[in-house]
Short mmCIF file of all heavy atoms in Angstrom, two decimals:
data_model
loop_
_atom_site.label_atom_id
_atom_site.label_comp_id
_atom_site.label_asym_id
_atom_site.label_seq_id
_atom_site.Cartn_x
_atom_site.Cartn_y
_atom_site.Cartn_z
N ASP A 1 97.37 81.74 91.45
CA ASP A 1 98.23 82.63 90.67
C ASP A 1 98.23 84.00 91.31
O ASP A 1 97.42 84.30 92.20
CB ASP A 1 97.73 82.71 89.23
CG ASP A 1 98.83 83.14 88.25
OD1 ASP A 1 99.96 83.43 88.70
OD2 ASP A 1 98.54 83.18 87.05
N ALA A 2 99.14 84.84 90.87
CA ALA A 2 99.22 86.23 91.33
C ALA A 2 99.52 87.13 90.13
O ALA A 2 100.17 86.70 89.18
CB ALA A 2 100.31 86.39 92.39
N ILE A 3 99.02 88.35 90.19
CA ILE A 3 99.28 89.35 89.15
C ILE A 3 99.85 90.58 89.83
O ILE A 3 99.25 91.12 90.76
CB ILE A 3 98.00 89.73 88.38
CG1 ILE A 3 97.34 88.50 87.78
CG2 ILE A 3 98.31 90.75 87.28
CD1 ILE A 3 95.97 88.78 87.18
N LEU A 4 101.01 91.05 89.37
CA LEU A 4 101.63 92.23 89.94
C LEU A 4 101.11 93.50 89.28
O LEU A 4 100.99 93.57 88.06
CB LEU A 4 103.16 92.17 89.77
CG LEU A 4 103.90 91.09 90.56
CD1 LEU A 4 105.35 91.06 90.14
CD2 LEU A 4 103.77 91.35 92.06
N TYR A 5 100.83 94.49 90.10
CA TYR A 5 100.48 95.84 89.64
C TYR A 5 101.53 96.82 90.20
O TYR A 5 102.22 96.52 91.17
CB TYR A 5 99.10 96.25 90.14
CG TYR A 5 97.95 95.71 89.33
CD1 TYR A 5 97.61 94.36 89.40
CD2 TYR A 5 97.20 96.53 88.50
CE1 TYR A 5 96.55 93.85 88.66
CE2 TYR A 5 96.13 96.03 87.76
CZ TYR A 5 95.82 94.69 87.85
OH TYR A 5 94.77 94.19 87.13
N ALA A 6 101.59 97.99 89.58
CA ALA A 6 102.57 98.98 90.04
C ALA A 6 102.24 99.48 91.45
O ALA A 6 103.13 99.81 92.22
CB ALA A 6 102.62 100.15 89.08
N SER A 7 100.96 99.54 91.78
CA SER A 7 100.55 99.94 93.12
C SER A 7 99.24 99.25 93.46
O SER A 7 98.48 98.84 92.58
CB SER A 7 100.37 101.47 93.21
OG SER A 7 99.15 101.84 92.59
N CYS A 8 98.97 99.13 94.74
CA CYS A 8 97.73 98.51 95.17
C CYS A 8 96.53 99.39 94.83
O CYS A 8 95.43 98.89 94.58
CB CYS A 8 97.77 98.21 96.66
SG CYS A 8 96.49 97.05 97.17
N PHE A 9 96.75 100.69 94.82
CA PHE A 9 95.68 101.59 94.39
C PHE A 9 95.28 101.25 92.95
O PHE A 9 94.09 101.20 92.61
CB PHE A 9 96.14 103.05 94.48
CG PHE A 9 95.07 103.99 94.94
CD1 PHE A 9 95.13 104.57 96.20
CD2 PHE A 9 94.00 104.30 94.14
CE1 PHE A 9 94.13 105.43 96.65
CE2 PHE A 9 92.99 105.16 94.56
CZ PHE A 9 93.05 105.73 95.82
N ASP A 10 96.27 101.00 92.08
CA ASP A 10 95.99 100.61 90.70
C ASP A 10 95.25 99.28 90.63
O ASP A 10 94.33 99.10 89.83
CB ASP A 10 97.29 100.50 89.90
CG ASP A 10 97.91 101.85 89.60
OD1 ASP A 10 97.18 102.86 89.62
OD2 ASP A 10 99.13 101.89 89.38
N ALA A 11 95.66 98.34 91.47
CA ALA A 11 95.02 97.03 91.48
C ALA A 11 93.56 97.15 91.88
O ALA A 11 92.67 96.55 91.24
CB ALA A 11 95.76 96.09 92.43
N ASN A 12 93.28 97.92 92.94
CA ASN A 12 91.90 98.10 93.37
C ASN A 12 91.09 98.89 92.34
O ASN A 12 89.88 98.70 92.21
CB ASN A 12 91.85 98.79 94.73
CG ASN A 12 92.09 97.84 95.87
OD1 ASN A 12 91.91 96.63 95.73
ND2 ASN A 12 92.50 98.36 97.01
N ALA A 13 91.75 99.78 91.63
CA ALA A 13 91.05 100.57 90.61
C ALA A 13 90.62 99.71 89.43
O ALA A 13 89.64 100.01 88.76
CB ALA A 13 91.94 101.70 90.12
N GLY A 14 91.35 98.61 89.19
CA GLY A 14 91.09 97.80 88.01
C GLY A 14 90.28 96.55 88.22
O GLY A 14 89.59 96.09 87.30
N ILE A 15 90.31 95.98 89.41
CA ILE A 15 89.74 94.64 89.58
C ILE A 15 88.23 94.59 89.44
O ILE A 15 87.67 93.69 88.82
CB ILE A 15 90.18 94.03 90.93
CG1 ILE A 15 89.64 92.60 91.04
CG2 ILE A 15 89.71 94.88 92.11
CD1 ILE A 15 90.18 91.82 92.22
N PHE A 16 87.53 95.58 89.99
CA PHE A 16 86.07 95.52 89.99
C PHE A 16 85.51 95.71 88.57
O PHE A 16 84.57 95.03 88.16
CB PHE A 16 85.49 96.56 90.95
CG PHE A 16 85.95 96.37 92.37
CD1 PHE A 16 86.95 97.17 92.92
CD2 PHE A 16 85.43 95.35 93.15
CE1 PHE A 16 87.40 96.98 94.21
CE2 PHE A 16 85.86 95.16 94.46
CZ PHE A 16 86.85 95.97 94.99
N GLU A 17 86.12 96.62 87.83
CA GLU A 17 85.68 96.85 86.45
C GLU A 17 85.94 95.63 85.59
O GLU A 17 85.16 95.31 84.68
CB GLU A 17 86.38 98.08 85.88
CG GLU A 17 85.86 98.50 84.52
CD GLU A 17 86.49 99.78 84.02
OE1 GLU A 17 87.53 100.19 84.57
OE2 GLU A 17 85.93 100.38 83.09
N ALA A 18 87.05 94.93 85.87
CA ALA A 18 87.40 93.75 85.07
C ALA A 18 86.49 92.56 85.38
O ALA A 18 86.18 91.76 84.50
CB ALA A 18 88.86 93.37 85.33
N LEU A 19 86.04 92.45 86.63
CA LEU A 19 85.28 91.28 87.05
C LEU A 19 83.77 91.45 86.91
O LEU A 19 83.06 90.47 86.65
CB LEU A 19 85.59 90.95 88.52
CG LEU A 19 86.94 90.33 88.85
CD1 LEU A 19 87.04 90.09 90.35
CD2 LEU A 19 87.14 89.02 88.10
N LEU A 20 83.28 92.66 87.12
CA LEU A 20 81.84 92.85 87.29
C LEU A 20 81.21 93.60 86.12
O LEU A 20 81.81 94.52 85.56
CB LEU A 20 81.57 93.62 88.59
CG LEU A 20 82.16 92.99 89.86
CD1 LEU A 20 81.95 93.91 91.05
CD2 LEU A 20 81.54 91.62 90.12
N THR A 21 79.99 93.20 85.78
CA THR A 21 79.23 93.82 84.70
C THR A 21 78.00 94.52 85.30
O THR A 21 77.74 94.40 86.50
CB THR A 21 78.77 92.75 83.70
OG1 THR A 21 77.69 91.99 84.30
CG2 THR A 21 79.90 91.80 83.33
N PRO A 22 77.22 95.22 84.48
CA PRO A 22 75.98 95.82 84.99
C PRO A 22 74.97 94.80 85.52
O PRO A 22 74.02 95.18 86.20
CB PRO A 22 75.42 96.56 83.76
CG PRO A 22 76.62 96.85 82.93
CD PRO A 22 77.52 95.68 83.11
N GLU A 23 75.17 93.53 85.21
CA GLU A 23 74.28 92.48 85.71
C GLU A 23 74.66 92.01 87.11
O GLU A 23 73.92 91.24 87.73
CB GLU A 23 74.30 91.27 84.76
CG GLU A 23 73.83 91.58 83.35
CD GLU A 23 73.93 90.35 82.46
OE1 GLU A 23 73.95 89.22 83.00
OE2 GLU A 23 74.02 90.52 81.24
N ASP A 24 75.82 92.47 87.62
CA ASP A 24 76.36 91.97 88.88
C ASP A 24 76.17 92.97 90.01
O ASP A 24 75.68 94.09 89.81
CB ASP A 24 77.85 91.66 88.71
CG ASP A 24 78.09 90.66 87.58
OD1 ASP A 24 77.31 89.70 87.47
OD2 ASP A 24 79.04 90.87 86.80
N ALA A 25 76.58 92.57 91.21
CA ALA A 25 76.47 93.43 92.39
C ALA A 25 77.75 93.34 93.21
O ALA A 25 78.36 92.28 93.33
CB ALA A 25 75.28 93.03 93.24
N VAL A 26 78.16 94.47 93.80
CA VAL A 26 79.29 94.49 94.72
C VAL A 26 78.80 95.07 96.04
O VAL A 26 78.08 96.08 96.07
CB VAL A 26 80.49 95.29 94.15
CG1 VAL A 26 80.10 96.71 93.79
CG2 VAL A 26 81.66 95.28 95.12
N LEU A 27 79.16 94.40 97.14
CA LEU A 27 78.72 94.80 98.47
C LEU A 27 79.96 95.18 99.27
O LEU A 27 80.84 94.35 99.52
CB LEU A 27 77.96 93.66 99.16
CG LEU A 27 76.72 93.17 98.39
CD1 LEU A 27 77.09 91.96 97.52
CD2 LEU A 27 75.60 92.80 99.33
N SER A 28 80.05 96.44 99.68
CA SER A 28 81.27 97.00 100.24
C SER A 28 81.06 97.49 101.67
O SER A 28 80.07 98.18 101.96
CB SER A 28 81.75 98.15 99.35
OG SER A 28 82.87 98.81 99.90
N ASP A 29 82.00 97.17 102.55
CA ASP A 29 81.98 97.72 103.91
C ASP A 29 82.14 99.25 103.82
O ASP A 29 82.95 99.75 103.05
CB ASP A 29 83.13 97.12 104.73
CG ASP A 29 83.09 97.49 106.21
OD1 ASP A 29 83.28 98.69 106.53
OD2 ASP A 29 82.87 96.61 107.05
N GLU A 30 81.36 99.97 104.62
CA GLU A 30 81.35 101.43 104.51
C GLU A 30 82.69 102.07 104.88
O GLU A 30 82.95 103.22 104.50
CB GLU A 30 80.25 102.02 105.39
CG GLU A 30 80.44 101.80 106.88
CD GLU A 30 79.29 102.38 107.71
OE1 GLU A 30 78.41 103.04 107.12
OE2 GLU A 30 79.28 102.17 108.94
N LEU A 31 83.56 101.36 105.59
CA LEU A 31 84.86 101.92 105.97
C LEU A 31 86.02 101.33 105.16
O LEU A 31 87.18 101.44 105.57
CB LEU A 31 85.11 101.73 107.47
CG LEU A 31 84.18 102.50 108.42
CD1 LEU A 31 84.67 102.37 109.87
CD2 LEU A 31 84.07 103.97 108.03
N ASN A 32 85.71 100.74 104.02
CA ASN A 32 86.78 100.23 103.17
C ASN A 32 87.71 101.34 102.73
O ASN A 32 87.35 102.52 102.68
CB ASN A 32 86.19 99.55 101.92
CG ASN A 32 85.80 98.11 102.17
OD1 ASN A 32 86.27 97.49 103.13
ND2 ASN A 32 84.94 97.57 101.32
N HIS A 33 88.94 100.94 102.38
CA HIS A 33 89.96 101.89 101.94
C HIS A 33 89.48 102.67 100.72
O HIS A 33 88.71 102.18 99.90
CB HIS A 33 91.26 101.15 101.62
CG HIS A 33 92.42 102.05 101.38
ND1 HIS A 33 92.76 102.53 100.14
CD2 HIS A 33 93.34 102.56 102.24
CE1 HIS A 33 93.83 103.30 100.23
NE2 HIS A 33 94.20 103.34 101.50
N ALA A 34 89.95 103.90 100.60
CA ALA A 34 89.54 104.79 99.51
C ALA A 34 89.79 104.18 98.14
O ALA A 34 89.02 104.42 97.19
CB ALA A 34 90.28 106.12 99.62
N SER A 35 90.83 103.37 97.99
CA SER A 35 91.11 102.77 96.69
C SER A 35 90.04 101.75 96.30
O SER A 35 89.72 101.61 95.12
CB SER A 35 92.50 102.11 96.70
OG SER A 35 92.57 101.11 97.70
N ILE A 36 89.49 101.03 97.28
CA ILE A 36 88.40 100.10 97.01
C ILE A 36 87.16 100.89 96.58
O ILE A 36 86.48 100.55 95.61
CB ILE A 36 88.08 99.24 98.24
CG1 ILE A 36 89.30 98.39 98.63
CG2 ILE A 36 86.87 98.35 98.00
CD1 ILE A 36 89.11 97.59 99.90
N ILE A 37 86.88 101.95 97.32
CA ILE A 37 85.71 102.79 97.00
C ILE A 37 85.84 103.36 95.59
O ILE A 37 84.89 103.34 94.80
CB ILE A 37 85.57 103.91 98.04
CG1 ILE A 37 85.25 103.30 99.41
CG2 ILE A 37 84.49 104.90 97.63
CD1 ILE A 37 85.34 104.28 100.57
N ASP A 38 87.03 103.86 95.23
CA ASP A 38 87.24 104.40 93.89
C ASP A 38 87.07 103.31 92.83
O ASP A 38 86.49 103.55 91.77
CB ASP A 38 88.63 105.03 93.78
CG ASP A 38 88.71 106.39 94.44
OD1 ASP A 38 87.65 106.90 94.87
OD2 ASP A 38 89.82 106.95 94.53
N GLY A 39 87.62 102.13 93.09
CA GLY A 39 87.50 101.03 92.14
C GLY A 39 86.06 100.63 91.91
O GLY A 39 85.65 100.35 90.78
#
């Protein structure tokens, strides 16, 4: 499936909060796009 967002910045801002809880972990490449870092 796919979900449309108004912008990819919005999509990256929302996905991590929706998927992950304080019990989880996210591992991010240090040069990821600013929108991923913000999310």
Side-chain angles (χ1 to χ4, degrees):
D1 203 357
I3 304 172
L4 292 173
Y5 279 72
S7 76
C8 196
F9 218 109
D10 288 337
N12 279 339
I15 183 171
F16 301 103
E17 187 175 16
L19 287 180
L20 304 174
T21 74
E23 299 178 22
D24 303 318
V26 57
L27 302 94
S28 175
D29 187 293
E30 65 181 354
L31 293 188
N32 276 341
H33 190 269
S35 59
I36 298 175
I37 295 169
D38 283 353

